[in-house]
Amino acid sequence: MGSATTPKGSEYAPGSLLTISDVPLEEVSAILAETTRIEQLPRSERAQMLAGRTVALLFYESSTRTRTSFELAAKSLGATTTLVSDKSSSIEKGESLKDTGLTLRALGAECIILRHPCSGAPFLLARMTGLPVLNAGDGMHEHPSQALLDLRTILTRLHGVAAATTARQDSLRGVTIAITGDILHSRVARSNALLLPKLGARVVLCGPEELLPETALGLGPGVEIERNFDAALERAQVVMMLRIQKERLAGLELDLADYVARYQLSSQRFTKHAASALVLHPGPMNRGVEIDGEVADGPQSAITEQVAHGLAVRSALLVRALGAGRFESVTV
Amino acid sequence: MSDVLILNGRLVDPANGIDAERDLLLRDGRVAAIEIPGVLKNVAAAETIDASGCIVAPGFIDVHVHLREPGQTYKESIATGTAAAAAGGFTSVIAMPNTVPVNDSVAGLEWMLDAARGSVVKLFAMPAATMGSMGIELSNFSALRKAGAVGFTDDGKPVLEDDVMRAALVRAARLGVPVSQHAEDTRLTGGCSMNAGPVAFRLGLRGMTVEAEARIVERDIRLLREIEKAEGLRPHLHVQHVSTARAMEAIRAAKREGLHVTCEVAPHHFTLTDEAVGNYDTHAKMNPPLRVEADRVAMVAGLMDGTADTIATDHAPHAAHEKEQEFERAPNGITGLETALGLTLRVLHRGQGMTLSRVVELMSVNPAHVVSLEGRGGLAVGNHADVVVFDPNTDWTFQATNSKSKSRNTPFNGAAMLGRVRFTICEGRIVFSN
């Protein structure tokens, strides 16, 4: 068992998950183990884990899979959930994030799951409320629960179910993961590039300069840049495709046809360069743009498995955030 | 009798070439006598200050402060902002025009400078260079100059259009005052909230590039050259809060060329880098943003070698609720009047070996020259009795809660400072003592 994400004396509540970079490897391991343990519990027992507890989902951006995943996870553990979205709420009337958070806390929320268009918003909410906050995606910054579910998916597929209960420095030694597409705007890419090298993986970021600046190398050791997608594929055991986030391009002109020609994971390209690689995508997918439908639905694709792992991992994160069950002993 | 006697101090007055033990007599708001120790000891004065162990220097002058009045007095007022200035050793401050409404009229300027506002130190102002700081139509420079303007600026925004900036420089040159430029090509910085680079990438924030600052500085320097050639005028460009090595180098080259360019550096830009943003600390959010170490070092070098003319705080108070927002939504700016000396002495004097004489040059003499304040920036007999008495050796910790400013938005809360202001005297009145 490792120590909790937030060190003693931190201004953030124990059990918060704001950035994956704060989570030590032992803690990642504990989360993976807890995920498997919860998954294996009888449904009735699982439903008691967070009985009587209240979780708020605060969503400033529309989301299908992340919101549903967290919501179903909380409900399956017996928690009461409340959803506040930017439409038809005090947010729409201009209430600040701080005041919205304080209101939710006063109403009994013990943990807040936050999706927000501004990078760093979960840090603010955690500081202002003192509650554990789970970052469900903040601007272009991070999506740490996605990185954890991606990790579980990779470990399960590459090494089997038993291997997905621990994270060691060498768990992914010799594994190259190519993350391709709109890296600049991708919180999924950032979280994965920060997490996977901790387990020994090489992360090869791939994309055109306008979507992948050289400053990405600053994410840390174990991260490199490869502009040639075919070359990246040749090396990869795992290929993670990302969509182009048109809503964040902010005036950036992109020749879509050229992009598709250079960076689409087409069936032909996949077969030629990485036929045995595992294919991931955090969704939503734009079939025919960054990925060919045939590859997305093919036997090497673990895209729907990622969704299932998401539900399990988020259950563990909620248990951890609320200090329930065995996790109580590992939170500070 | 309003006499103030300052005894036993070390007078550092680079404007008059003095760095030695001297006693001072201030009378009727002016410097009445400067003597070697002992000569003035029997003079009867209303106040006698024992400046033993302290530096006695011309009061500091800040060519760049935001006092938020009119319009935003919940952040700061002229009274509170100038009280903070006095606590920082400043005896003169130049207020920027981005108030609400923008200070672009004689009526607005006169209202601001009226004694009824309660300024504790000498208040000067730079009105807007263009109406409403919209960058389109020049304000009435000559009328504003007559009413007391010491320069013109659209600070907070650049004057982007070449022809507007050219006209501003020409008109200001005819009046003998500078155009003070916020050097940011805002066409390149839309949606940006910090410095462009690895830190911004990791935090998922859009970054302001070095080029966005340098392009405007380089453009303005080109305009100076063109105007000198075509009109025979010698316009004065003052570049505000330089933050990048590239802009500093452009200014260095322009000075070498003989053009009339001056510039300022803010203490936060020679002290911190963009790493200070940490986990989205809005107290480290300002414009221009904190840059990388190489830029910070270039600011130090510019201050050491004379390229930078003055230290200016860009004191920019904001209320707590405004900074307690998402990083990208929070306003730019930090307070700075009370930390300027402490940081300058810590980073430049102790850290880089800058002489106290050069510190005083950067904080008193040169800013007086930038905005042509007659009788200030030096302590010759007959000058205004604007004096700061500070102990250069005291290590202390700045606590924002003790600030005289209405706002607390500073990244230096709890930071180490060197040197403590003991007395600030403005036109012969003791306006701060500690």
Side-chain angles (χ1 to χ4, degrees), chain B residues 17-183:
Chain B
I18 301 176
D19 184 347
E21 288 184 5
R22 291 286 186 277
D23 293 342
L24 265 75
L25 176 66
L26 313 179
R27 177 171 288 162
D28 299 330
R30 298 278 173 169
V31 178
I34 302 166
E35 298 291 350
I36 56 171
V39 174
L40 298 172
K41 68 179 177 186
N42 293 323
V43 173
E47 297 274 356
T48 300
I49 291 171
D50 180 3
S52 298
C54 288
I55 302 298
V56 178
F60 301 143
I61 297 165
D62 192 340
V63 299
H64 192 156
V65 302
H66 299 271
L67 299 176
R68 306 302 188 203
E69 189 176 1
Q72 294 178 313
T73 50
Y74 65 96
K75 298 175 196 250
E76 193 77 284
S77 66
I78 288 172
T80 60
T82 54
F90 291 91
T91 52
S92 296
V93 294
I94 285 87
M96 294 295 106
N98 57 341
T99 48
V100 183
V102 169
N103 178 22
D104 61 7
S105 68
V106 168
L109 176 60
E110 287 176 342
W111 185 92
M112 190 184 276
L113 297 180
D114 194 310
R117 302 288 85 76
S119 180
V120 178
V121 301
K122 190 67 190 167
L123 178 62
F124 297 92
M126 280 196 194
T130 67
M131 296 307 291
S133 288
M134 301 300 284
I136 301 166
E137 180 196 350
L138 290 189
S139 58
N140 188 338
F141 279 29
S142 56
L144 287 162
R145 175 69 180 135
K146 274 184 201 142
V150 296
F152 296 92
T153 181
D154 279 353
D155 182 41
K157 298 174 180 178
V159 180
L160 266 190
E161 297 301 323
D162 287 16
D163 55 345
V164 179
M165 186 62 183
R166 184 195 306 269
L169 285 165
V170 166
R171 211 173 283 183
R174 293 197 170 117
L175 295 167
V177 293
V179 175
S180 204
Q181 177 76 291
H182 171 113

Side-chain angles (χ1 to χ4, degrees), chain A residues 26-293:
Chain A
E26 313 84 72
E27 185 72 359
V28 173
S29 207
I31 292 166
L32 290 175
E34 183 70 356
T35 303
T36 302
R37 190 181 77 86
I38 294 171
E39 207 171 42
Q40 289 168 351
L41 285 176
R43 203 184 178 90
S44 57
E45 209 175 310
R46 212 186 305 163
Q48 291 304 307
M49 289 189 79
L50 296 181
R53 311 299 296 272
T54 305
V55 172
L57 295 106
L58 183 50
F59 274 64
Y60 285 70
E61 269 185 352
S62 52
S63 160
T64 304
R65 75 196 65 215
T66 303
R67 181 179 65 73
T68 311
S69 180
F70 268 116
E71 194 168 7
L72 288 176
K75 286 196 161 108
S76 73
L77 298 165
T80 300
T81 62
T82 182
L83 170 68
V84 178
S85 72
D86 57 338
K87 302 286 181 295
S88 311
S89 74
S90 54
I91 299 168
E92 205 177 26
K93 297 171 191 160
E95 186 174 67
S96 71
L97 179 60
K98 173 186 173 178
D99 286 336
T100 302
L102 292 177
T103 300
L104 290 173
R105 188 179 71 179
L107 288 168
E110 297 169 89
C111 166
I112 303 177
I113 297 155
L114 179 68
R115 161 67 65 93
H116 199 288
C118 290
S119 298
F123 288 90
L124 174 71
L125 186 69
R127 272 198 301 269
M128 293 298 148
T129 63
L131 293 176
V133 170
L134 300 181
N135 180 357
D138 60 328
M140 295 161 23
H141 175 226
E142 276 205 51
H143 199 345
S145 67
Q146 178 74 39
L148 288 166
L149 75 88
D150 288 338
L151 171 63
R152 191 170 193 253
T153 309
I154 294 166
L155 288 172
T156 305
R157 272 289 194 114
L158 295 187
H159 302 313
V161 176
T165 57
T166 56
R168 295 190 312 267
Q169 281 183 339
D170 61 352
S171 295
L172 292 175
R173 184 167 296 163
V175 177
T176 297
I177 295 145
I179 305 179
T180 305
D182 185 357
I183 311 287
L184 175 63
H185 301 109
S186 173
R187 46 203 178 205
V188 174
R190 277 179 187 73
S191 284
N192 272 294
L194 289 166
L195 174 63
L196 299 172
K198 289 185 190 184
L199 288 87
R202 292 290 311 161
V203 170
V204 177
L205 301 175
C206 187
E209 185 134 16
E210 55 268 46
L211 299 179
L212 173 56
E214 291 289 322
T215 49
L217 290 172
L219 287 173
V223 176
E224 58 188 272
I225 288 175
E226 170 59 67
R227 303 280 174 204
N228 183 321
F229 188 27
D230 292 345
L233 283 175
E234 294 281 355
R235 296 172 55 193
Q237 287 75 51
V238 181
V239 184
M240 184 182 297
M241 300 306 297
L242 303 171
R243 75 184 174 97
I244 291 174
Q245 300 192 42
K246 286 182 190 149
E247 69 276 20
R248 297 189 207 274
L249 287 181
L252 198 65
E253 294 293 332
L254 198 72
D255 181 339
L256 198 61
D258 176 64
Y259 178 82
V260 167
R262 291 165 65 196
Y263 294 106
Q264 186 193 66
L265 187 61
S266 64
S267 192
Q268 189 190 15
R269 178 174 267 143
F270 182 63
T271 307
K272 185 173 176 190
H273 298 290
S276 60
L278 177 66
V279 176
L280 301 179
H281 194 305
M285 276 187 288
N286 289 314
R287 287 171 186 259
V289 181
E290 72 273 8
I291 190 165
D292 195 326

Side-chain angles (χ1 to χ4, degrees), chain A residues 12 97-98 116 118-121 123-124 127-128 140-141 183-185 190 213 215-216 219 248 250, chain B residues 190 196-206 279-282 321 323-329:
Chain A
Y12 309 110
L97 179 60
K98 173 186 173 178
H116 199 288
C118 290
S119 298
F123 288 90
L124 174 71
R127 272 198 301 269
M128 293 298 148
M140 295 161 23
H141 175 226
I183 311 287
L184 175 63
H185 301 109
R190 277 179 187 73
T215 49
L219 287 173
R248 297 189 207 274
Chain B
V199 179
F201 185 88
R202 176 164 50 81
L203 293 174
L205 295 170
R206 295 180 196 278
N279 285 329
Y280 307 91
D281 182 358
T282 55
H321 73 270
K323 282 291 192 178
E324 285 173 350
Q325 289 195 80
E326 296 85 333
F327 191 86
E328 289 159 274
R329 291 178 180 166

Side-chain angles (χ1 to χ4, degrees), chain B residues 406-420:
Chain B
K406 269 190 191 179
S407 293
R408 303 281 179 269
N409 52 306
T410 168
F412 297 114
N413 186 31
M417 301 281 146
L418 174 64
R420 199 114 213 197

